[in-house]
Amino acid sequence: MFKKCPMCNNIWKTKNEFLNDENIKLIGYQKYMGSYGGGYLLFKHSSKFCGTTIAIKSSFFADGTTSTQRLKRIIKKESGH
């Protein structure tokens, strides 16, 4: 399991399933300067029965790139480019 919605308990089995869900929209980034740095990507789950915001560590989207590169790729995908 990749992620479970804390509000409606919808489950996304994989990262790709989550990112390809039409009810999921990237709405922002929250920087975190804890012991490991990084931050959280903020997604809006806009289904018929839900409207919550889901925060996921940006490192969950790691693929050998830096945090900035990952964020730029995700934003680019969300904008349709």
Side-chain angles (χ1 to χ4, degrees):
M1 175 181 76
F2 173 73
K3 189 69 179 171
K4 181 178 180 179
C5 180
M7 179 71 87
C8 70
N9 295 319
N10 187 63
I11 293 174
W12 297 272
K13 294 178 184 175
T14 66
K15 174 175 55 173
N16 285 335
E17 183 181 351
F18 180 84
L19 292 174
N20 290 320
D21 187 330
E22 292 184 5
N23 294 317
I24 295 291
K25 301 293 180 212
L26 179 66
I27 59 171
Y29 176 76
Q30 182 178 8
K31 190 172 184 178
Y32 175 72
M33 295 303 294
S35 54
Y36 297 106
Y40 293 88
L41 294 171
L42 305 174
F43 296 91
K44 183 77 168 183
H45 184 212
S46 300
S47 69
K48 184 176 181 179
F49 301 105
C50 193
T52 196
T53 299
I54 300 170
I56 301 176
K57 289 182 182 180
S58 61
S59 62
F60 283 6
F61 298 94
D63 59 2
T65 59
T66 67
S67 296
T68 302
Q69 289 170 325
R70 284 193 302 272
L71 181 59
K72 286 180 181 178
R73 285 182 185 174
I74 291 170
I75 290 171
K76 185 176 180 181
K77 181 180 178 189
E78 285 292 317
S79 68
H81 294 101

